[in-house]
Amino acid sequence: DVKVTQSSRYLVKRTGEKVFLECVQDMDHENMFWYRQDPGLGLRLIYFSYDVKMKEKGDIPEGYSVSREKKERFSLILESASTNQTSMYLCASSSTPVTNYGYTFGSGTRLTVV
Amino acid sequence: EDQVTQSPEALRLQEGESSSLNCSYTVSGLRGLFWYRQDPGKGPEFLFTLYSAGEEKEKERLKATLTKKESFLHITAPKPEDSATYLCAVHSFSGGYNKLIFGAGTRLAVHP
């Protein structure tokens, strides 16, 4: 089974802190994605990557950056955390841009910024 | 603009009471519609993919159907363990890249 592992289930950070969310997949997938999920808004795409060292902005990239130095790892960085970035963050991966199964998701990181 | 709308936002059923969840979409050139199940505090888990109008897929008490404008997730004789949020997503190619566009989900609660 494809496994997508997010390093933290819950995080509490202070306003202005630099925050790193880590995601690792173990199935040699080329494509990785970061979403945030908020009540009533669904999942919104922040950034994605189709290859190592490659990154593309999604629909809501402001306030975020990403890093993909290795194929299996995709990190989301909040440069200066703000309270409006309190959310559930979901990492996903796939072997092609969209497979017959859509994406495989991690369990999520619930981030609270105080 | 590509869009996915799910209704209702929340649904409460008694065990054994069948019902349907709706996913209506607007997308230029549907390349696939996906249903996921999400349990509290967890990531979405894949249920079904539908590609063309008239297609149906079944899994246990769930059946997904697709028309040119919407998809339904029918739940027959639900059990409490079916309680979850059900997400719908469409595969879109826009802005020069492939992506899944998600609806906000339907929170289903099945009571004994």
Side-chain angles (χ1 to χ4, degrees):
Chain A
D1 278 353
V2 175
K3 248 195 162 174
V4 178
T5 303
Q6 294 184 233
S7 54
S8 304
R9 292 295 301 276
Y10 300 95
L11 275 179
V12 180
K13 296 293 182 181
R14 296 196 178 277
T15 301
E17 276 192 78
K18 191 169 186 176
V19 181
F20 293 85
L21 303 184
E22 305 288 344
C23 175
V24 177
Q25 51 93 3
D26 66 359
M27 285 298 290
D28 202 33
H29 282 176
E30 290 81 13
N31 311 294
M32 298 188 75
F33 310 86
W34 275 106
Y35 285 87
R36 64 178 282 177
Q37 184 177 29
D38 301 288
L41 296 178
L43 276 72
R44 293 180 290 167
L45 183 63
I46 305 171
Y47 266 96
F48 63 99
S49 169
Y50 286 160
D51 202 352
V52 176
K53 295 193 185 294
M54 174 272 183
K55 59 187 178 184
E56 291 286 347
K57 294 180 180 179
D59 299 320
I60 53 164
E62 295 78 18
Y64 303 94
S65 63
V66 291
S67 172
R68 193 164 181 202
E69 295 295 320
K70 293 185 177 181
K71 190 174 186 179
E72 67 270 19
R73 187 179 298 270
F74 193 34
S75 302
L76 180 70
I77 304 157
L78 286 65
E79 298 291 344
S80 177
S82 64
T83 54
N84 63 12
Q85 293 178 309
T86 291
S87 187
M88 168 72 105
Y89 289 87
L90 291 164
C91 176
S93 73
S94 71
S95 55
T96 62
V98 180
T99 71
N100 289 336
Y101 304 99
Y103 302 154
T104 301
F105 286 87
S107 293
T109 296
R110 185 164 294 283
L111 173 68
T112 302
V113 182
V114 297
Chain B
E1 182 182 340
D2 297 337
Q3 201 166 352
V4 177
T5 303
Q6 291 188 246
S7 61
E9 285 188 24
L11 181 62
R12 179 188 169 116
L13 298 174
Q14 290 298 120
E15 185 171 2
E17 179 188 2
S18 301
S19 187
S20 297
L21 313 182
N22 177 263
C23 171
S24 60
Y25 61 89
T26 306
V27 63
S28 50
L30 181 69
R31 299 181 177 202
L33 184 142
F34 302 85
W35 282 99
Y36 289 85
R37 169 190 170 128
Q38 185 176 23
D39 293 303
K42 295 189 176 182
E45 291 186 0
F46 171 80
L47 289 174
F48 303 109
T49 308
L50 302 165
Y51 288 105
S52 56
E55 191 174 358
E56 297 183 353
K57 294 273 178 75
E58 282 190 69
K59 180 180 180 180
E60 297 181 353
R61 295 175 292 281
L62 301 177
K63 183 168 82 171
T65 61
L66 182 65
T67 72
K68 289 186 178 180
K69 293 184 178 180
E70 57 192 351
S71 176
F72 292 93
L73 185 65
H74 306 277
I75 303 176
T76 302
K79 298 182 177 182
E81 54 261 42
D82 295 322
S83 298
T85 295
Y86 291 87
L87 299 171
C88 169
V90 295
H91 176 193
S92 165
F93 184 83
S94 66
Y97 59 89
N98 289 281
K99 62 179 179 179
L100 291 189
I101 300 172
F102 285 84
T106 294
R107 290 191 318 278
L108 174 67
V110 181
H111 296 269

